[in-house]
Amino acid sequence: MWSSKNAQAVAARHHDATGHATWADQVLLIRYGEAQASHPDLFEEITACG
């Protein structure tokens, strides 16, 4: 499993080079505004991959 910023490109190149089935999962995080005082730790568990 690749988890770097260019994981989709690495998976595609691996498929092209080897013919192996490959895939890249994507996660989309959207944040609007700033965190409110009532939920200071709302996003603390979310970490970036890669």
Side-chain angles (χ1 to χ4, degrees):
M1 179 176 85
W2 297 286
S3 60
S4 63
K5 292 178 182 177
N6 66 341
Q8 186 175 356
V10 172
R13 287 190 66 191
H14 180 76
H15 169 72
D16 290 347
T18 65
H20 296 158
T22 59
W23 59 92
D25 294 333
Q26 295 181 339
V27 175
L28 177 63
L29 302 173
I30 301 173
R31 298 178 183 166
Y32 296 100
E34 297 190 26
Q36 301 298 313
S38 61
H39 297 289
D41 62 343
L42 186 61
F43 294 105
E44 285 183 0
E45 295 297 322
I46 298 173
T47 59
C49 296

